[in-house]
Amino acid sequence: MQGCRLARLFGKSIMDFYARMFRFDIVSWICGGQDAVLARIIYTLVALSAIWCISLLFRDNELVSADDK
C-alpha cells in the first residue's frame, strides 16, 4: 500500500511541475479536474512508468550486431 502512495505522489509531482511550468494541465482538462478518478489513474500510470524508466538506467546494455543472428 505504501508503494502505491509513493507512486501516486511521484507521478502527481511530475504532472504538477509541468502544469506550473506551462500553466496548463492537460490531464485535468481532459478528465474534468485533478480529483477525478480517471485523472488519478493517469497520474498513477505516469508515476509507475517513471519509476520503471529509472530502473532502465541501472541495467546492463548489450549491443547486438547483425552478425550475431
Side-chain angles (χ1 to χ4, degrees), residues 20-53:
R20 289 188 178 128
M21 186 173 169
F22 298 112
R23 302 208 184 265
F24 182 71
D25 187 3
I26 193 165
V27 174
S28 65
W29 179 68
I30 291 172
C31 299
Q34 288 184 343
D35 294 331
V37 175
L38 184 60
R40 289 182 181 259
I41 291 170
I42 292 172
Y43 290 138
T44 303
L45 291 174
V46 168
L48 292 175
S49 65
I51 291 170
W52 181 72
C53 286

Side-chain angles (χ1 to χ4, degrees), residues 2-12 14-15 40-56:
Q2 188 70 13
C4 291
R5 289 181 186 169
L6 180 64
R8 212 169 58 191
L9 177 69
F10 186 66
K12 188 161 175 69
I14 290 172
M15 296 303 288
R40 289 182 181 259
I41 291 170
I42 292 172
Y43 290 138
T44 303
L45 291 174
V46 168
L48 292 175
S49 65
I51 291 170
W52 181 72
C53 286
I54 289 171
S55 73
L56 294 176

Side-chain angles (χ1 to χ4, degrees), residues 62-69:
E62 296 179 18
L63 295 176
V64 178
S65 66
D67 297 334
D68 290 341
K69 291 184 179 181

